[in-house]
Amino acid sequence: MSGLFEVPWADYRPELIDALGRTVSYTVVGFAGAVLLGLAVALLRLSKAWPARALAAVYTEVFKNVPLLAIIFLTYFGLASAGIRLDVFTAGCLSLIVFYAAYLSEIFRSAISGVHAGQTEAGEALGIRKTGIFGHIVLPQALRLALPGTNTMLVDLLKSTSLLVTVSAAELMSEGRLITSATFRALEVYLVIAAIYFALCYPLSQLLLLLERKVRSGVPLSPWRRRRLRAARALLAAEPAAGTPLKEASA
């Protein structure tokens, strides 16, 4: 074990930092796209039009039952053979988006369905439009229900960026393969790469868990909701003071 760490890591520091940045870029773009596409597919699954539901169901079942590695190959190599050439970053992000959108759509669909129908009926009774009911009543409650599964998908997507090594995407695992080829120290190199992934995923998972706990406890996260909460507290605090003269007058 004394001769384990012999790779001159200082020589590879710039390349590792660049690879780390690419890994984060793949994660951010892939997750943002997957959330948007997953929400759209979930709404189609809940649509009253059966063609929309059927189309969304086919998409979900196809991409849930095809390995991510196969999707990466189809996106990068398969589309190129059909005359559609995508750069590595675009192909990698697209693969992550279409794959994880299928899982997120199921999480979002379940969360939206989990909001009690009485919430929608109450909004309709108040004369709120359907878009307002969904955006201000249903969606905030659904997001709270969907948060645990969504957080899990984010961490899993970050780890799955390592599969992009198969198309030389210049992320962490690709850089680890290059360093291994240059030093022939596979055990040491991949131990360090695994440690970097752990250093990324563990703090992220703990931060997401903290966020989930705050949301469950009712802590407002957006400035807009905090302002509304302060205004509501101020209104409630002012009510007894406003009612005091009425009591004295009746006495």
Side-chain angles (χ1 to χ4, degrees):
M1 294 293 291
S2 60
L4 179 60
F5 295 102
E6 295 182 357
V7 175
W9 290 106
D11 298 340
Y12 298 104
R13 186 180 296 117
E15 289 81 4
L16 283 172
I17 293 175
D18 183 65
L20 178 61
R22 285 181 176 272
T23 298
V24 173
S25 298
Y26 281 116
T27 302
V28 172
V29 176
F31 184 72
V35 167
L36 295 176
L37 181 57
L39 181 59
V41 174
L43 294 177
L44 289 177
R45 289 291 300 271
L46 297 171
S47 173
K48 295 181 180 179
W50 73 264
R53 295 199 306 271
L55 180 63
V58 169
Y59 170 87
T60 302
E61 293 304 321
V62 167
F63 286 100
K64 277 172 56 181
N65 293 282
V66 174
L68 176 56
L69 189 59
I71 296 174
I72 294 172
F73 280 14
L74 284 170
T75 305
Y76 189 67
F77 299 112
L79 292 180
S81 65
I84 304 174
R85 299 188 179 276
L86 302 176
D87 60 85
V88 175
F89 185 80
T90 303
C93 290
L94 182 60
S95 301
L96 294 170
I97 288 171
V98 297
F99 180 79
Y100 280 95
Y103 289 93
L104 287 173
S105 68
E106 290 293 272
I107 294 172
F108 295 156
R109 181 180 65 85
S110 176
I112 294 171
S113 300
V115 178
H116 197 277
Q119 301 289 320
T120 301
E121 295 172 359
E124 292 174 348
L126 292 172
I128 304 175
R129 295 180 179 179
K130 289 185 178 180
T131 54
I133 292 174
F134 180 77
H136 298 290
I137 298 176
V138 176
L139 187 59
Q141 297 181 67
L143 289 176
R144 184 175 301 176
L145 296 174
L147 195 58
T150 305
N151 292 345
T152 301
M153 287 295 105
L154 174 55
V155 177
D156 191 70
L157 188 151
L158 173 56
K159 293 186 294 184
S160 294
T161 58
S162 60
L163 291 176
L164 297 175
V165 65
T166 55
V167 293
S168 300
E171 33 62 60
L172 277 173
M173 191 60 70
S174 297
E175 186 60 33
R177 186 174 64 175
L178 293 175
I179 297 173
T180 301
S181 300
T183 61
F184 301 101
R185 308 282 299 180
L187 177 61
E188 176 182 349
V189 170
Y190 289 124
L191 277 175
V192 171
I193 295 298
I196 294 174
Y197 274 109
F198 180 83
L200 287 173
C201 294
Y202 182 74
L204 177 61
S205 63
Q206 294 303 307
L207 286 174
L208 293 174
L209 183 61
L210 178 62
L211 174 64
E212 182 183 337
R213 289 172 178 169
K214 285 184 176 293
V215 170
R216 282 184 177 179
S217 64
V219 176
L221 301 178
S222 66
W224 178 74
R225 290 182 64 86
R226 284 196 292 267
R227 286 196 299 268
R228 292 195 64 179
L229 182 61
R230 286 196 298 266
R233 287 173 176 171
L235 183 61
L236 290 173
E239 283 184 356
T244 301
L246 295 177
K247 293 180 181 179
E248 291 176 353
S250 61

